[in-house]
Each structure stands twice: as C-alpha cells, then as structure tokens.
Amino acid sequence: MEELFETWETPAPQPDLEAELKKMRRSLHRRNRKIISISLILAAAILIGTVNYGIPALEKLYWDPNTTSYGTPATDLEMTFYAYGNLFNNGRMVDDVTATRTGFATYSLSLESYSYSTNERSFGYATLEKGKLTVQEGFWDDWRQHYVGNTSPETQEHDVQLLSQLPDYIRVGCYVTFREDITMEEALALEQLLIQDIWDTYNYTKVQWLAIRHREDAYYHPCGLTSDGVSGMFDGINAHYPYFSGTYHDASGNALGGELKDRAERKEERFKSLLRYLHDQQQKGEGIEVPYEPDYYADALAYIEENGVNVYGCYITASAKRLLEINDMDNVMY
C-alpha cells in the first residue's frame, strides 16, 4: 500500500486559459495600436510630403504666372501681356496682371490696361489652367478688321463726309494706310510733322501706333509698335531684350536723344525685342499665340531680318479737321 502511494505522481496544474486569452488580446491590441499609429504617422508624412513637395514639383511642369526671370518687379506673364498689347492693340498697354491660385496649376488672372488713345483704364480677366491661357472674349479689341487691303471709293467718300460734319472739339481715332511703305526714320519724321501744340486739346495730333510690315500680306493679323513705353516696371529686361520697355536711356539712367536716325534704330530694335520675347515665351509654352498661326512670331522675325523694318500705316488720334488734312497727303491711300 505504501509502495502504491510512493509511485503516484501529482497531476500538473492546468493553465488558466481565460487569463492567457486576455493576455493575448492585450498583446494584439497593443500591436494593432502600434501598427495604426505608425500607419497614421506614415500617412501624415506622405500627405505633408505630397502637399509641400510633390504637388509643387508637379506644378512646376506647368506655367507658373508668378515667375520672374529678368530681375524686374514684373512677372514674365505681365511682360508677355505688355509685349502682346504693344504689338497688336494700337496704343493699349496691359500694365498689371494679378494671379490668384484656384486649384492644382490653375489660376484666375485679373487684367488691367491703359489706353493711350482714350486715356482710360479698363479691366478684364483670364484663366491659366495647367499651362493653357484663356483670355476673356473681347479683351483684345477686334480692331484688326479695320485694316483691310483696300477700301472702296464709296467707303472713303462716306468717311470724308462724316469727318467733315464733326465739330472741332471731337477727337477721332483713325487708321491711316500709306500708298508706299516708309522707313522707321520717315515714320518718326511724319510723327514730328503731325504733332501740334500738345496743350491744344482740340487739335493735338498723336501717332499712337505704327503698323509694321511683317510679311507681304501684312493686312492679315497686322502687328506694329506703340509709341509710348513705361519706365521702371519692365526696365530690367532691357539687358536681355534691348529697349523692351520702351524707355530709351543709358546705363546711368540718362535719357537718350540723338538724331532721327538714332531714334529710329532704337525703335526698330524695340520692335524686334518684343517679337523675340513673345517668340521665346511661346517656345517655352508660356506665351500668347496669335490665333491660327503658331509660327507667327518666327515668320515675322525672319521677314524683317530679310527686309528690314518698314511702316505701311499708323493709328492716329486727332481732330476731324486734322484728319481731313492728313487724308490729302500724297502718300496717304486712305
């Protein structure tokens, strides 16, 4: 009997399954919380990285309206509008473009311009979406239709009769076409001849814009040069595109005068600078394209390089009486 008790083994204690299960649950909860925390941290880091670095990096692939490349207070976009207005809008200068970001690589643009012929400011808008510029319809005056290759005698007679009926205090904007092209020097001489007393509001004559032949059929999509420039805001670009801003001074800021020939050469250089700038901006995908003519700037530059800068017309503001006198000049077609 004693031997039996000596060989009996005491059974091992059974594990507490419920306690073990709770322990496992707590361990799983801790690990899950750790995984979730790490995931949230990683997601936040990815989001912050995307917002701060990824999106800006992607947006750099598109046209940034706030880019300044030439050490000017003005942005490249403002100078693009300025150059386009000078060439194509007979005395109207776009001098302020404000961009407001509205989405990914998308901006709303507020445009402000000044008309030399009416002395009035006007406002418009445009959008820049993923590099595509869309300007408000009608912002650029559809004045090109006024410049046609020929005008019938009946139309000319009607215009003359209309002008003869207007009182002296009315100033009229008028497109003048020459019988034969003239040089820039001759155009400046004509401008001097036409200018009367600047303080005489009724009779003061101003050549606002010169129509420059950029190809043989220049009446289609004509371009030219506005008489006046603007100092300060665009001057920094003159080192890259001579006389771009339309201000003529030396490195010390002294105004450049000189003979008529010197002034004409500077005007010609300015015209070519405006064309080159618009061409270069278009090549970068950041320009204003002439409708239906993607090679307009390149073709115009090639033409004037071969044929020089010649003027075939102008836009003048003057009294009706003065315009009738201009109409009788030998080289004036109509």
Side-chain angles (χ1 to χ4, degrees):
M1 196 68 174
E2 291 178 357
E3 292 178 358
L4 181 62
F5 280 111
E6 287 177 357
T7 58
W8 181 264
E9 294 182 0
T10 304
Q14 296 297 316
D16 189 342
L17 296 178
E18 186 173 350
E20 287 294 324
L21 185 59
K22 288 182 179 180
K23 184 178 179 181
M24 290 176 63
R25 285 174 178 171
R26 284 196 297 269
S27 178
L28 287 173
H29 285 325
R30 284 196 299 269
R31 188 172 67 175
N32 287 341
R33 284 197 297 270
K34 185 177 181 180
I35 292 173
I36 291 172
S37 298
I38 292 173
S39 299
L40 289 174
I41 292 171
L42 289 174
I46 292 172
L47 180 61
I48 292 171
T50 301
V51 171
N52 291 336
Y53 302 101
I55 292 177
L58 288 174
E59 283 190 315
K60 286 183 179 180
L61 300 175
Y62 299 98
W63 186 353
D64 181 357
N66 298 306
T67 300
T68 55
S69 304
Y70 301 98
T72 66
T75 63
D76 295 358
L77 177 63
E78 285 178 303
M79 291 188 289
T80 298
F81 271 94
Y82 169 78
Y84 192 89
N86 266 271
L87 291 183
F88 298 107
N89 223 230
N90 66 46
R92 183 173 170 206
M93 181 185 70
V94 181
D95 58 0
D96 186 37
V97 181
T98 303
T100 303
R101 188 175 183 275
T102 57
F104 174 74
T106 302
Y107 303 84
S108 174
L109 308 178
S110 299
L111 313 174
E112 185 174 349
S113 62
Y114 174 77
S115 172
Y116 290 115
S117 56
T118 63
N119 296 322
E120 294 177 337
R121 301 200 74 82
S122 57
F123 302 87
Y125 62 87
T127 59
L128 183 59
E129 184 174 359
K130 296 181 178 65
K132 181 181 179 181
L133 178 66
T134 304
V135 181
Q136 169 191 352
E137 185 176 356
F139 177 78
W140 302 115
D141 296 335
D142 190 17
W143 58 271
R144 296 181 183 88
Q145 61 183 322
H146 298 289
Y147 250 128
V148 293
N150 194 10
T151 298
S152 67
E154 292 78 15
T155 301
Q156 294 185 46
E157 183 179 353
H158 172 270
D159 291 343
V160 169
Q161 289 179 353
L162 179 62
L163 287 172
S164 63
Q165 296 170 8
L166 293 177
D168 290 340
Y169 59 83
I170 295 293
R171 295 188 77 225
V172 181
C174 182
Y175 295 91
V176 176
T177 301
F178 303 137
R179 297 183 186 279
E180 296 181 0
D181 291 1
I182 61 177
T183 65
M184 181 64 74
E185 188 174 344
E186 291 170 329
L188 295 184
L190 175 63
E191 184 176 5
Q192 285 186 345
L193 176 66
L194 295 178
I195 290 177
Q196 297 182 354
D197 186 357
I198 193 171
W199 303 115
D200 185 347
T201 306
Y202 295 157
N203 294 315
Y204 176 54
T205 301
K206 175 67 175 175
V207 178
Q208 303 286 359
W209 180 85
L210 299 173
I212 297 175
R213 190 170 298 281
H214 65 287
R215 61 186 177 194
E216 294 303 319
D217 58 335
Y219 303 110
Y220 185 63
H221 277 162
C223 67
L225 186 64
T226 297
S227 298
D228 300 272
V230 57
S231 62
M233 187 174 179
F234 305 109
D235 285 356
I237 196 175
N238 290 341
H240 305 272
Y241 297 89
Y243 309 116
F244 176 96
S245 69
T247 54
Y248 306 98
H249 55 254
D250 59 22
S252 301
N254 300 313
L256 294 171
E259 300 294 327
L260 202 60
K261 180 181 178 181
D262 298 327
R263 292 168 46 212
E265 289 176 353
R266 291 194 291 267
K267 287 274 189 181
E268 291 177 4
E269 193 59 45
R270 180 182 182 227
F271 175 70
K272 289 185 282 189
S273 287
L274 293 170
L275 270 178
R276 277 197 298 266
Y277 180 77
L278 288 174
H279 172 262
D280 293 347
Q281 289 299 109
Q282 184 187 32
Q283 293 298 106
K284 292 181 352 185
E286 299 179 359
I288 302 176
E289 187 173 294
V290 176
Y292 313 112
E293 295 195 66
D295 298 324
Y296 185 98
Y297 303 121
D299 291 346
L301 285 166
Y303 182 89
I304 62 174
E305 189 66 32
E306 180 178 352
N307 300 280
V309 178
N310 296 297
V311 178
Y312 68 89
C314 57
Y315 181 77
I316 294 177
T317 53
S319 66
K321 178 182 177 182
R322 187 63 170 146
L323 289 175
L324 289 172
E325 295 172 355
I326 294 170
N327 191 56
D328 290 334
M329 290 181 172
D330 290 339
N331 196 35
V332 172
M333 183 184 298
Y334 53 84

